[in-house]
Amino acid sequence: MPSSLEKFPVRYDVHKYLGRKPWYIVYNLIARFSKRGNAVLDLFSGSGVASFEALRLDRNVIAVDYSPLSELIVKTLCSYHNISEFDRALQSLTKKLKSIEHIYYVNSIQGEGLLEYWIPYQHKGKLIIGNTEKIINNISETDFTHPEEVKDFKWKHERTQIPKIPCSNVSTWGEIFSNRAQYVLHNALEYIKSISDSNIRNALLVALSASLEKIALLNRFKSIGKGWIREKPICYYKPQDYIEFNAIKALENKAAKMRMAIIETNNLLEKSHGSFSFIREHAENLNYKAKFDLIIMDPPYLSEVPYDKLEALHDIWLGFKPENQNIHKAFDQIALKSYNALSDRGILVLLLLNYQKESREFFVNKLANNGFVKLKETRNYLGSKEGLSISVFKKSN
């Protein structure tokens, strides 16, 4: 059985999807509560951890999520791709990015070089001068050697309003993304959209979406001596609160990881006897025709993390419309339909991560009220919140 000490699968290092559960725990749960050839329902699929691990274990899996971003990620990372075609598209994208790399050249008293990152409010950053890395402390806005088209660049996303999140101190994307980053994203997105092969196009869109987090760095960090931890809450911060990364390198890095993930998935699918399909719909609206031997349920947070607003960063830039799901109102119907979809000897596993106690009680009680019997539960705590809660249910007799 896999453990946290095993090599981290490349596919989970492509997109830092919110609320993702540990892959090795999900793998072990599927292995324990289902058999080869069984039908598995990955409800609230998110980034598709359960879907991918079910495929690894030769299960037949259906993934369900209402998010277009989830559909893009899960279908991309659970499907076969022509690696030669992907390589050609990636080479063309890299060539496009290299043609605008000059926007990251800046001057300093230590010389002219390629800007790796910049901390705006401290006016310092990291330069690559020749083959040497140097930390400089006197960069200012006037040091940038932007071409005029970058200085004056105004893309529509800059004027797009950011969904209101408590504690955020920004109102438009232009307060998060510099002109340079917007210029890179615009050029990259326009090229990717022109790719005729939908599978290859979607794979590069996932890489672009993944690079947004590093470009914007939504999370404010603080040092703990041996490393950095995220300060809460998760929200959007003005430029003086974040590090502006080189958007080109961020995208190239994610595209390279996507390539490795595609190879990983292709190798898996060549050996797997399982099947995969994705349904984009609100869970309460579905009527399942098949019976499932295992349901993995990973519901969205209640009021603790504004999923729909945070995911707007990805949705808006990729042309998706952010959408909220009222899980409080819908969960009775979801629980009832899950009960009807589960086989008589089937198992439902409820996964919760970093939930307040009342959130866990809400989901557990709703399942119990709709005919499920809890077999076992494991929990660990991180301060006032639960770390990971795993509750196992069967249908009542």
Side-chain angles (χ1 to χ4, degrees):
M1 291 291 184
S3 71
S4 59
L5 300 177
E6 291 201 16
K7 182 180 178 181
F8 192 76
V10 179
R11 75 174 308 277
Y12 299 133
D13 201 26
V14 174
H15 202 291
K16 306 297 184 184
Y17 198 89
L18 292 168
R20 188 172 60 197
K21 306 303 180 285
W23 69 273
Y24 55 90
I25 290 179
V26 175
Y27 178 100
N28 291 336
L29 288 169
I30 296 171
R32 180 175 180 181
F33 293 114
S34 66
K35 299 178 181 179
R36 183 177 179 179
N38 276 181
V40 176
L41 177 63
D42 179 13
L43 201 54
F44 308 107
S45 184
S47 61
V49 175
S51 294
F52 189 78
E53 298 306 324
L55 280 174
R56 287 180 66 189
L57 288 162
D58 294 331
R59 275 54 166 178
N60 300 312
V61 57
I62 293 178
V64 175
D65 204 295
Y66 73 94
S67 166
L69 176 62
S70 172
E71 180 180 29
L72 186 67
I73 295 171
V74 181
K75 288 175 72 172
T76 294
L77 294 173
C78 288
S79 302
Y80 185 88
H81 292 74
N82 185 315
I83 193 64
S84 297
E85 291 296 324
F86 181 84
D87 284 344
R88 278 192 280 272
L90 180 56
Q91 288 170 8
S92 296
L93 175 60
T94 301
K95 183 178 179 181
K96 177 70 174 178
L97 296 178
K98 289 295 183 183
S99 72
I100 58 174
E101 191 176 43
H102 61 286
I103 68 174
Y104 281 101
Y105 274 90
V106 297
N107 291 315
S108 73
I109 59 173
Q110 297 188 40
E112 181 178 339
L114 186 65
L115 188 67
E116 281 286 287
Y117 67 82
W118 175 48
I119 308 176
Y121 78 102
Q122 293 182 9
H123 297 295
K124 72 176 185 179
K126 178 181 176 182
L127 276 182
I128 305 297
I129 302 175
N131 295 320
T132 306
E133 296 182 356
K134 291 189 177 182
I135 302 296
I136 58 172
N137 297 300
N138 63 336
I139 287 184
S140 68
E141 191 67 37
T142 57
D143 289 321
F144 298 149
T145 57
H146 292 181
E148 289 302 317
E149 66 267 24
V150 177
K151 289 181 181 178
D152 300 331
F153 181 73
K154 299 291 181 184
W155 199 22
K156 62 181 180 180
H157 291 87
E158 181 176 352
R159 298 186 296 275
T160 304
Q161 292 295 308
I162 292 175
K164 180 62 179 174
I165 302 177
C167 300
S168 292
N169 58 6
V170 297
S171 59
T172 66
W173 298 120
E175 295 177 272
I176 292 180
F177 295 98
S178 67
N179 265 19
R180 282 180 304 193
Q182 291 187 71
Y183 190 73
V184 172
L185 293 170
H186 170 74
N187 279 274
L189 184 55
E190 291 303 304
Y191 168 74
I192 293 171
K193 284 182 175 180
S194 71
I195 297 173
S196 58
D197 187 314
S198 60
N199 284 343
I200 304 301
R201 182 173 64 247
N202 289 343
L204 288 174
L205 282 176
V206 172
L208 176 66
S209 175
S211 75
L212 296 180
E213 285 191 10
K214 198 154 195 175
I215 297 168
L217 204 66
L218 304 187
N219 307 316
R220 177 186 270 170
F221 290 87
K222 67 178 180 180
S223 175
I224 55 173
K226 295 182 179 180
W228 296 80
I229 62 171
R230 184 177 63 208
E231 290 185 313
K232 294 184 178 180
I234 303 175
C235 61
Y236 302 121
Y237 296 105
K238 284 184 179 179
Q240 64 263 28
D241 295 317
Y242 77 100
I243 300 172
E244 182 201 356
F245 283 84
N246 183 311
I248 293 175
K249 290 192 177 297
L251 177 52
E252 288 178 336
N253 175 268
K254 288 299 183 181
K257 288 181 177 179
M258 173 58 76
R259 183 184 188 278
M260 291 188 288
I262 285 173
I263 293 173
E264 189 177 76
T265 297
N266 284 353
N267 290 337
L268 163 73
L269 293 178
E270 288 174 358
K271 301 174 184 177
S272 175
H273 298 284
S275 63
F276 164 78
S277 61
F278 188 99
I279 301 174
R280 182 156 70 88
E281 181 58 90
H282 288 277
E284 67 272 22
N285 294 335
L286 286 173
N287 291 307
Y288 304 103
K289 297 179 181 179
K291 291 289 186 178
F292 296 94
D293 304 289
L294 174 64
I295 297 177
I296 300 288
M297 183 180 286
D298 180 8
Y301 290 77
L302 296 177
S303 60
E304 297 155 30
V305 176
Y307 264 133
D308 58 308
K309 294 180 175 63
L310 289 169
E311 287 177 3
L313 169 69
H314 304 279
D315 289 346
I316 289 174
W317 280 79
L318 295 181
F320 301 143
K321 182 180 179 181
E323 187 177 357
N324 190 21
Q325 183 177 38
N326 189 335
I327 198 67
H328 285 92
K329 183 178 179 181
F331 200 74
D332 265 319
Q333 187 69 9
I334 294 169
L336 177 60
K337 290 192 173 184
S338 297
Y339 184 90
N340 293 332
L342 192 65
S343 65
D344 290 340
R345 295 190 177 184
I347 292 292
L348 182 146
V349 177
L350 173 69
L351 295 175
L352 303 173
L353 182 64
N354 291 338
Y355 272 67
Q356 300 285 4
K357 180 180 178 182
E358 54 268 26
S359 296
R360 179 185 57 79
E361 292 177 347
F362 170 83
F363 290 114
V364 170
N365 290 339
K366 287 291 186 181
L367 289 171
N369 292 341
N370 283 279
F372 287 98
V373 176
K374 186 165 64 176
L375 298 177
K376 63 180 299 183
E377 182 176 86
T378 60
R379 283 181 280 162
N380 58 70
Y381 294 89
L382 298 173
S384 61
K385 286 191 174 183
E386 296 180 5
L388 177 64
S389 170
I390 303 172
S391 301
V392 180
F393 298 84
K394 70 172 185 176
K395 296 174 72 169
S396 58
N397 296 326

